[in-house]
Amino acid sequence: MTPRPIARITGLGACLPPTVVTNADFEKSLDTSDQWIVERTGIRERRIAGPDLTLAEMCRVASTKALAQANLSAKDLDVIILGTVTPDRRLPATACDLQALLGATNAAAFDISAACPGFVYGLAIARGFIASGQANRILVLGAEKLSTVTDSTDRSTAVLFGDGAGGVVVEPADDSGRGILSSVLGADGTLADLLYIPGGGSADPVSEKVVRERSHFIKMAGREVFKAAVLAMSRACDGALAQAGITADQIDLLVPHQANIRIIEATAKHAGIPMDKVMVNVDRFGNTSAATIPLALDQGVAEGRIKPGSLLLLVTFGAGFTWGSVVVRW
Ligand code: UT7
């Protein structure tokens, strides 16, 4: 039986930086080609935020739209949760900078570090806050400036990542049946070193050596991550569907993490969902980590593919490893 939702999404907003970097731009600086990038990843272009566009500012733009849609003012918020691995500063949380920018004076604010699943982890936390009665109006964001942790000289990662921000307002569900029906989260820290930033943390603080060795940039064992991503996302979909008491054929739209078109296709195939019911925008924005799902939701709504009552399956995977899946009746 489908459970009664406790929390529902009442507003949505996104922010994409204006600067577009195409595959042809990389052909000028790296030993790569448009053909390799498109065939192996599906990516054609990505957006990059320059030094003047902070993560907090991208979040402010996305949040303002989400709040307007929810008919709320910033002062109505109880909590701000930001999933990101690229905060503007190591201290404090960018969620606090955002709280100040919005004037959300009644809100607690914190970042969560769960890599690409940061937004889905945030949704699950918000649902828990609402279920416990601790908070009622929660802003959940996924936002990244991955361009700041991407090594522009490493062709195996440079072409993959982009910047962007998206977020939703989560409030208690009404009796319409719309809302978050299930959520499954997971992690496997034994595989952490397959996708990580080795230097610049407290284990190996910023130093001349870190910068010289370029260890403050993302390192990834792509092929291993690929295999783990397909397996974990497939299992997470199964778990979230089972918990929601629904079958894949009832899903109107699969909204997967956008890292690689081949991972998306394999996940959809496992779930038994045809590609015409799958949100894909990795071609336009690349992998924006925690931002991919809210950006895809925003696009899905704008294109009329997500309507009130649509049954959505969100699924994601990233560094940690971490993964998560959520079923939502929009
Ligand atoms: O968001 C978090 C989760 N992240 C992911 O899910 C990403 C998962 N991984 C992937 O998407 C893919 O593994 C990549 C797109 C990163 C790589 O694709 P692949 O098909 O797994 O390629 P590969 O790493 O096995 O490399 C194949 C070849 C290598 O050359 P050799 O050793 O066969 O001669 C690479 O050096 O492709 C080479 N290569 C490139 N060639 C041209 C790697 N990057 C590039 C490039 N341009 N940009």
Side-chain angles (χ1 to χ4, degrees), residues 31-33 36-37 40-41 116 155-156 159-161 195 220 222-223 225-226 229 257 259-260 262-263 287 289 317-319:
D31 179 18
T32 190
S33 65
W36 189 96
I37 301 169
R40 305 312 296 164
T41 72
C116 306
R155 71 174 182 173
S156 71
V159 301
L160 303 176
F161 301 112
L195 174 51
M220 177 166 71
R223 208 172 297 182
V225 175
F226 187 106
H257 174 48
N260 185 317
R262 293 181 296 133
I263 295 175
N287 181 350
S289 184
F317 175 88

Side-chain angles (χ1 to χ4, degrees), residues 135-147:
N136 279 328
R137 289 162 173 170
I138 304 171
L139 191 58
V140 178
L141 300 118
E144 304 285 5
K145 262 185 89 170
L146 290 177
S147 56

Side-chain angles (χ1 to χ4, degrees), residues 94-116:
T94 300
C96 292
D97 291 327
L98 174 63
Q99 190 245 21
L101 283 175
L102 291 172
T105 42
N106 300 309
F110 59 96
D111 291 355
I112 52 168
S113 179
C116 306

Side-chain angles (χ1 to χ4, degrees), residues 50-234:
D52 297 335
L53 183 54
T54 63
L55 191 76
E57 175 57 16
M58 285 199 286
C59 288
R60 189 195 63 78
V61 173
S63 302
T64 303
K65 291 178 190 165
L67 284 166
Q69 212 175 84
N71 277 320
L72 293 180
S73 85
K75 294 205 170 16
D76 295 324
L77 288 171
D78 300 321
V79 185
I80 298 172
I81 304 170
L82 169 58
T84 190
V85 292
T86 50
D88 284 324
R89 302 177 284 189
R90 280 196 67 188
L91 194 73
T94 300
C96 292
D97 291 327
L98 174 63
Q99 190 245 21
L101 283 175
L102 291 172
T105 42
N106 300 309
F110 59 96
D111 291 355
I112 52 168
S113 179
C116 306
F119 175 75
V120 166
Y121 266 56
L123 280 183
I125 295 168
R127 183 179 181 231
F129 273 139
I130 289 172
S132 71
Q134 184 165 348
N136 279 328
R137 289 162 173 170
I138 304 171
L139 191 58
V140 178
L141 300 118
E144 304 285 5
K145 262 185 89 170
L146 290 177
S147 56
T148 60
V149 291
T150 303
D151 186 347
S152 59
T153 67
D154 174 8
R155 71 174 182 173
S156 71
T157 52
V159 301
L160 303 176
F161 301 112
D163 302 336
V168 295
V169 174
V170 182
E171 295 186 77
D174 54 20
D175 50 17
S176 63
R178 295 168 63 193
I180 300 170
L181 300 177
S182 66
S183 83
V184 167
L185 305 179
D188 182 356
T190 66
L191 300 173
D193 290 1
L194 294 176
L195 174 51
Y196 72 140
I197 297 177
S202 54
D204 189 10
V206 177
S207 65
E208 226 177 276
K209 176 184 79 74
V210 164
V211 175
R212 194 173 54 247
E213 292 174 353
R214 306 180 82 75
S215 65
H216 54 308
F217 291 125
I218 296 175
K219 315 285 174 204
M220 177 166 71
R223 208 172 297 182
E224 285 75 12
V225 175
F226 187 106
K227 284 186 238 156
V230 173
L231 191 64
M233 284 169 71
S234 297

